[in-house]
Each structure stands twice: as structure tokens, then as C-alpha cells.
Amino acid sequence: MRENVTETADVLIVGLGGLGSAAAYHLAARGSRVIGIDRFGPAHARGASHGESRGVWKAYFMGAGYVPLLDRAYDLWDELGEIRGETLLHRTGGICVGPAGGALVPAALASAREAGLEIEYLESDEIRSRFPEFTPGPGDVAVWDPSSGYVRPEQVVTAHLDLARKHGADLRFDEKVLDLSDTGSGVRVRTETGVYEADRLVVAAGAWAPQLLPELQPHTKVLRKVMLWFDPISRAEDFYTGRQPYWIWEGENGTVGYGHPAVDGPSGGVKAGIHSGGEPADPDSLDRHVSTQDIEAVREFLAKRIPALPGRYLRSRVCMYDNSPDLGFIIGPSAQSDRITVAAGSSGHAFKFVPALGEVIAQLATEGASTHDISLFDPRRLTDATA
């Protein structure tokens, strides 16, 4: 190790997935000298920022407090697409389905109404009429959000990394971080190949963040999640982009599933998975084999609700959720040092916010505060709750 060789920057970023890549771009665009470090390659499939598509949904079942940040994210999705000359946010519309007395739809409806969003409330027969491929139960209702859609995570991460480089960021890949510390006058990050120092540090290492910041260990749980792609049994055209919406569906037992259109057309298959639940996992020894039981759990959920979908199994990917206790993000100053900004606890739903959270993280790292209301994500809420 080149301990005697220290490279310097204004801001160091550990982790260059969804949040880290966005932060790198926003920081570099603001004029900061940035060094970003990731233990894997660019736009890799080892963490959570992959899987061909990610749903974007504004009638947010986590609460109306998330909607202003989603509004900003929508603006930045379009702005980023214009800069790149490509579409990033594909607006297909989205539908949230579940029992009228369940958790999901009432929360989405309340959030939409509080935020003044233009949505539609659909009864069971209206769901079936509008989307004949769906078979809702007699007690199912839905919220239709016409602004919803999907983004492609690998495309987004690549775009942010490319633009960060364009603005002068120095991005290092396949370099594992060993430890980090506050030196009293700045921060230091030690990797397998060198030592870096800066005024500020952002830790956006996803499932690996608790290894670097022990303060996170009591407040994050890493879960193994499986994404699957199926060839529809019939009427494949009903599942193409432009006809199939992004959907999320709560079953009568509280299980929540989701699905996206066939983003790559008939040859690409239709993506679906189970959002709720999951097996505790170690990111360094994650089981990436997808078992028959994994496949059948998703197939069973789909067969009852979208019976034309779960035909031939095509392929799968395994990812991880790093969940906080309340499923809110963990974004703010580290308990270890005000020089360190934590960007963790993505909880399986942060990617739709990525460009706005990149802006938030850049503001925190350079100014110590954000122009956005991020009180929901304050790391101190976790320690206060356990005090």
C-alpha cells in the first residue's frame, strides 16, 4: 500500500452507485474537486442500483412529505435527459392496487390528496375495465397516477458518472475502502491502494455503509431481494411500454409486489418482484443463486392478479435493500463527524429520488444544510428513537 502517497480533494465520495454517482455530478458541477471511489466497476450489478428498470411514483405511500422532493427529482430527470440527449424518465402512468382497508392504497390516496396531485381513484370493476390483464379482487381499489413511470438505473448511473467526469471528478473503481476517519482538520480514507484526504466525505456505500460507519449497524438491515423477468403467456402486446403501466400491488396478506412494462420489447420479458419481506443478508456473501422457491413465490403472486404474465421464466437478478427501521432514508451528518455526510438507508425505494438526493447530498457536503426539507431523513431520529 502506498501509505506515503496521499491524494487530496475537496470532497471524497465512497460508493458510486445511484446516490454516489448523482452526488459526484452535483458536487463537480458546483466546482468542488471530487474524488469518487467504488469497490466495483462503474454501473455494476453488485448492490442496489441495477435491474434494467426502476419505478417512479409520485402519489407516494410513504407520505406527502416525500412529494416535494419527487417534484424536484422529476425536474432533474428531464434536465439530465436534455443534457444527455436521451429520455431518462419514461412516463407510462402507474397504478397502486390493494384492499380498500389495506395499508398501501389508503396511504397513497392520502398522500396524493394532501399534495394536491392529479390522480384517479378506481374501484375494482374500473381497474379491470381499464387494464383487462389485471384481475383485482372484489375488495381491491386503486390509485392511478398518470405522471408515474420508470427509469433505467444503469443508464442513470452512467449518465451521472459521465457528467461528473466532464466536470472534473476523478473516479476510481475496483478499489476497496478499508477505513475512514476524521483527522481533526479534514477526513482521511484509506483503501487497498492508497490514502486520500479531503475537507469533506460522503459515504454512499449502500449495503456496505454500516461496515464503514458502525453507527449505522443498529439502524440498518440488509435484505436479499430477487428481480425476475417472465415471458407473458398470452397477449404479450399488453405488456409493452405505452400499454402496461408501472404497478405496485398489496395482497390481502400484506405482501406487496410490483411490475414494470417490457422495457426492451417482446424479447426482453416483463419484470416483476416482491417488494415486501426479504431474507437478511451479508453483502460480502450474498446468495446470488435464484432458487425455484424464489421464482415460484413471484409466480404465485402474479398468477392470481395478472394471470397472463407469469409464463416462461427468462432470467433474474439479485440485489439488496439496506433498510432503516422506519424505511425512511438516512441522509445527514454522521454521528462520528460533521465532516462526514451519510447517504444510506435507501430501503428499496430511493432510486426514484436519485437526482434530487444527489443535489441534497452535494449541498450538505459543501454547505452543511440543504434547501430541501429533509427532516424525514435526519440520522438523529434513529438514535433519538432508541435513547
Side-chain angles (χ1 to χ4, degrees):
M1 182 185 301
R2 307 190 313 270
E3 285 279 10
N4 59 327
V5 178
T6 300
E7 299 186 57
T8 62
D10 295 327
V11 185
L12 298 173
I13 302 174
V14 176
L16 292 170
L19 295 181
S21 64
Y25 163 54
H26 282 282
L27 281 162
R30 294 161 69 94
S32 294
R33 293 182 301 122
V34 174
I35 295 178
I37 307 166
D38 198 291
R39 65 189 290 157
F40 304 114
H44 62 79
R46 303 294 296 275
S49 299
H50 65 284
E52 300 183 15
S53 59
R54 281 287 188 276
V56 179
W57 175 265
K58 194 176 282 192
Y60 215 53
F61 48 83
M62 289 290 291
Y66 285 78
V67 177
L69 199 61
L70 281 165
D71 285 335
R72 179 58 178 158
Y74 270 62
D75 290 342
L76 290 172
W77 286 123
D78 291 338
E79 179 183 299
L80 187 62
E82 289 178 9
I83 293 171
R84 294 283 290 177
E86 55 188 354
T87 300
L88 294 179
L89 174 55
H90 301 264
R91 290 172 169 84
T92 61
I95 189 167
C96 174
V97 187
L104 197 65
V105 173
L109 184 63
S111 177
R113 286 174 172 168
E114 183 177 341
L117 300 179
E118 294 185 5
I119 54 93
E120 292 182 62
Y121 181 77
L122 305 177
E123 300 285 353
S124 181
D125 57 344
E126 295 173 303
I127 300 169
R128 191 185 300 268
S129 174
R130 187 171 301 190
F131 302 102
E133 68 273 24
F134 290 174
T135 57
D140 281 337
V141 293
V143 170
W144 166 252
D145 176 3
S147 69
S148 184
Y150 68 88
V151 294
R152 307 196 66 156
E154 294 89 348
Q155 178 191 26
V156 171
V157 172
T158 298
H160 279 137
L161 292 176
D162 287 349
L163 288 170
R165 286 193 192 94
K166 183 178 178 179
H167 286 281
D170 183 0
L171 307 180
R172 311 292 180 91
F173 294 97
D174 300 306
E175 188 168 346
K176 182 180 178 181
V177 171
L178 300 178
D179 56 57
L180 50 87
S181 59
D182 184 325
T183 65
S185 59
V187 291
R188 178 180 292 125
V189 170
R190 190 170 63 95
T191 75
E192 291 177 323
T193 58
V195 177
Y196 304 87
E197 292 187 347
D199 297 325
R200 296 287 187 269
L201 168 65
V202 172
V203 178
W208 289 270
Q211 297 179 7
L212 300 173
L213 292 173
E215 71 204 59
L216 295 175
Q217 291 176 9
H219 307 299
T220 55
K221 179 185 294 185
V222 177
L223 299 178
R224 174 183 179 272
K225 306 297 294 185
V226 174
M227 302 173 280
L228 305 177
W229 284 260
F230 293 96
D231 194 9
I233 296 170
S234 61
R235 297 186 60 82
E237 64 275 10
D238 286 344
F239 297 93
Y240 297 169
T241 297
R243 298 188 66 173
Q244 174 79 7
Y246 162 56
W247 59 266
I248 183 165
W249 199 315
E250 180 186 10
E252 55 279 339
N253 61 354
T255 300
V256 176
Y258 68 88
H260 302 168
V263 300
D264 289 317
S267 63
V270 181
K271 179 181 175 182
I274 303 297
H275 176 70
S276 56
E279 305 163 4
D282 180 339
D284 291 320
S285 57
L286 180 68
D287 181 6
R288 295 187 181 274
H289 169 71
V290 175
S291 68
T292 299
Q293 289 81 2
D294 290 327
I295 297 168
E296 288 308 309
V298 179
R299 189 188 294 277
E300 180 181 350
F301 185 91
L302 294 172
K304 183 176 180 180
R305 296 167 179 88
I306 314 177
L309 176 54
R312 183 169 58 101
Y313 160 71
L314 298 177
R315 64 190 185 283
S316 58
R317 289 284 185 90
V318 175
C319 74
M320 291 176 284
Y321 287 3
D322 56 316
N323 284 6
S324 70
D326 60 7
L327 302 183
F329 314 138
I330 306 172
I331 298 178
S334 164
Q336 177 176 325
S337 168
D338 287 343
R339 296 178 181 275
I340 302 173
T341 298
V342 180
S346 297
S347 302
H349 67 114
F351 206 92
K352 55 182 65 64
F353 297 86
V354 151
L357 289 178
E359 182 175 67
V360 165
I361 295 163
Q363 292 173 339
L364 291 173
T366 56
E367 301 167 23
S370 175
T371 56
H372 303 284
D373 181 0
I374 55 169
S375 56
L376 286 170
F377 315 141
D378 191 332
R380 290 172 297 185
R381 77 188 191 278
L382 303 175
T383 52
D384 290 346
T386 57

